[in-house]
Amino acid sequence: MPRPGRRLQRHRRTARRRVPYRAGPLTAPPPRIEDLPRDLAPQVLGAVVRRFGHFDTAEDATQEALLAAALQWPSHGVPVARAFLVPEPTMARRISRAKKTIKDSGVPFAMPADRAERLGAVLHTLYLIFNEG
């Protein structure tokens, strides 16, 4: 019988392998952006607890962060500049230059035909980028 320390190590090892968000079947509607903080709160809390080890502090920090996100993101949008560790004006200039480059290239730029099928993978990738690091 394994020692308690080994069981905990095995649990942590298997918990890391689990995918926190899975897209449903292609016929299911995509999750609403408003529901993501509520649906992903347990995974965010688990990631913070694994990172820092203090459940009480992690729970408070997770609740405050999700509340701030729920209040700010609808009016200000997702903080893209912070994700790239640059000031907002710098990110605005980069986006403007990218738009101009696409426009000047003459390449048609449109939404992909299989957008609905790809949305689940995009949402999962965004979750991993912003929450798992």
Side-chain angles (χ1 to χ4, degrees), residues 13 17 21 26 33-34 41 43 67 69 100 104 108 113 117:
R13 208 171 31 246
R17 289 185 207 143
Y21 175 79
L26 295 178
I33 194 74
E34 296 86 13
Q43 287 86 7
L67 178 62
K100 185 178 182 310
D104 293 344
E117 297 172 7

Side-chain angles (χ1 to χ4, degrees), residues 109-131:
F109 187 76
M111 296 300 287
D114 57 346
R115 179 180 177 264
E117 297 172 7
R118 298 165 65 180
L119 185 61
V122 171
L123 290 175
H124 177 68
T125 303
L126 288 173
Y127 168 79
L128 292 175
I129 290 170
F130 286 102
N131 295 310

